């Protein structure tokens, strides 16, 4: 195993082979599933871990980033007699999404437009909560590979896939910011957000009006052709 993220790794044959084959994988480090269905939080399933680039011919792999997702089982909540509001009010991010996604008891017009129509298979939601690619690996299209893999790995059973186009460098400063490459950016928030929106559009996401939230139909996400070799473990 090699999880070194310094530029020196780019001189290795293993890295060049891994990049040529674009074999990106997700390693789930933590996964928290709901309980017995007695509480709205029981319908939030959270998973997080690392994004890796692997060389198929050896056992060497490179940790290139980290991710987290939230699967919201709205249909299970309804069967237990709970409302969308009760479930989506669990966290501030999910409640913000709720206010953008719904209008009264139905989807907002902007949400339906972003989805290309009402969800036909399921009303469950996959929230792509966080995706970060380490500095040494940016600019190679690996973030898009990881994003598409997150959708396929965790999107089964979700009619809606949602994310927020929020540049992580504008989060409150932490001790981890230097390692994660979240310092030293010079562009404005608006410019950074436009760049993110453009990136997510390449993966098939559409904005909900002028909000930072973007949606993708879960049905079409599972049918997308994948570039290179991707896997989830």
């Amino acid at each position: 195993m090699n999880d070194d993220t310094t530029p020196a790794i780019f001189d290795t044959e293993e890295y060049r082979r891994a990049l040529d084959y674009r074999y990106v994988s997700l390693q789930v480090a933590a996964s928290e599933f709901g309980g017995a269905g007695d509480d709205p939080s029981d319908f939030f399933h959270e998973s997080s871990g690392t994004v890796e680039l692997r060389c198929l011919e050896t056992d060497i792999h490179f940790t290139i980033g980290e991710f987290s997702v939230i699967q919201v089982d709205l249909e299970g909540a309804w069967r237990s007699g709970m409302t969308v509001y009760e479930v989506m009010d669990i966290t501030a991010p999910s409640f913000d999404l709720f206010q953008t996604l719904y209008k009264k008891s139905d989807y907002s017009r902007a949400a339906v437009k972003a989805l290309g129509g009402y969800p036909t298979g399921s009303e469950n939601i996959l929230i792509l909560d966080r995706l970060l690619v380490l500095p040494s690996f940016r600019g190679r299209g690996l973030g898009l590979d990881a994003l598409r893999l997150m959708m396929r790995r965790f999107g089964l059973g979700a009619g809606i896939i949602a994310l927020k186009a929020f540049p992580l460098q504008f989060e409150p400063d932490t001790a981890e910011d230097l390692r994660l490459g979240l310092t030293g950016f010079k562009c404005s928030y608006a410019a950074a957000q436009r760049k993110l929106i453009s990136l997510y559009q390449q993966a098939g996401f559409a904005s909900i009006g002028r909000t930072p939230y973007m949606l993708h139909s879960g049905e079409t996400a599972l049918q997308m052709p994948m570039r290179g070799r991707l896997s989830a473990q």
Side-chain angles (χ1 to χ4, degrees):
M1 173 181 173
N2 184 347
D3 61 1
D4 187 9
T5 58
T6 64
I9 69 169
F10 301 133
D11 296 329
T12 65
E13 181 65 23
E14 289 84 0
Y15 176 77
R16 287 192 290 270
R17 290 177 180 175
L19 190 60
D20 285 342
Y21 283 103
R22 305 193 69 84
Y23 189 75
V24 175
S25 67
L26 301 179
Q27 302 296 315
V28 179
S31 187
E32 297 183 8
F33 290 91
D38 300 325
D39 186 87
S41 63
D42 293 339
F43 300 95
F44 267 59
H45 310 317
E46 302 181 48
S47 300
S48 61
T50 58
V51 184
E52 298 188 351
L53 180 68
R54 292 178 171 269
C55 177
L56 294 178
E57 298 177 4
T58 69
D59 193 33
I60 295 177
H61 58 276
F62 306 90
T63 299
I64 65 172
E66 57 189 37
F67 77 94
S68 63
V69 300
I70 301 172
Q71 295 163 289
V72 187
D73 182 13
L74 286 180
E75 295 189 352
W78 293 333
R79 289 193 293 270
S80 295
M82 297 180 189
T83 65
V84 175
Y85 177 88
E86 289 175 304
V87 176
M88 299 294 283
D89 192 35
I90 294 297
T91 68
S94 61
F95 184 68
D96 287 344
L97 174 62
F98 166 79
Q99 291 183 302
T100 305
L101 187 57
Y102 298 96
K103 185 175 180 62
K104 295 183 178 179
S105 59
D106 201 354
Y107 297 108
S108 68
R109 290 184 180 179
V112 173
K113 181 178 180 181
L115 287 168
Y118 281 85
T120 56
S122 169
E123 296 190 43
N124 291 339
I125 302 173
L126 170 64
I127 301 174
L128 305 182
D129 184 51
R130 181 180 179 89
L131 172 61
L132 184 144
V133 174
L134 294 170
S136 299
F137 301 96
R138 293 171 188 163
R140 294 171 170 81
L142 298 172
L144 270 179
D145 287 347
L147 185 71
R148 293 184 177 106
L149 183 54
M150 290 165 66
M151 295 163 66
R152 292 181 69 89
R153 169 64 177 83
F154 299 101
L156 187 63
I160 300 172
I161 301 176
L163 57 77
K164 183 178 182 179
F166 177 80
L168 294 179
Q169 64 265 34
F170 291 94
E171 288 182 331
D173 292 341
T174 70
E176 285 284 274
D177 284 355
L178 184 61
R179 180 184 72 83
L180 297 177
L182 297 177
T183 60
F185 287 87
K186 297 181 180 180
C187 63
S188 66
Y189 178 90
Q193 187 180 57
R194 284 195 299 270
K195 187 175 180 179
L196 269 184
I197 290 173
S198 177
L199 178 70
Y200 295 146
Q201 286 173 338
Q202 293 180 49
F205 282 85
S207 298
I208 305 179
R210 297 184 178 180
T211 76
Y213 289 98
M214 304 183 74
L215 302 179
H216 197 302
S217 165
E219 287 81 9
T220 59
L222 297 178
Q223 299 169 9
M224 289 190 308
M226 303 302 291
R227 182 178 63 176
R229 306 184 183 191
L230 310 176
S231 74
Q233 299 179 15

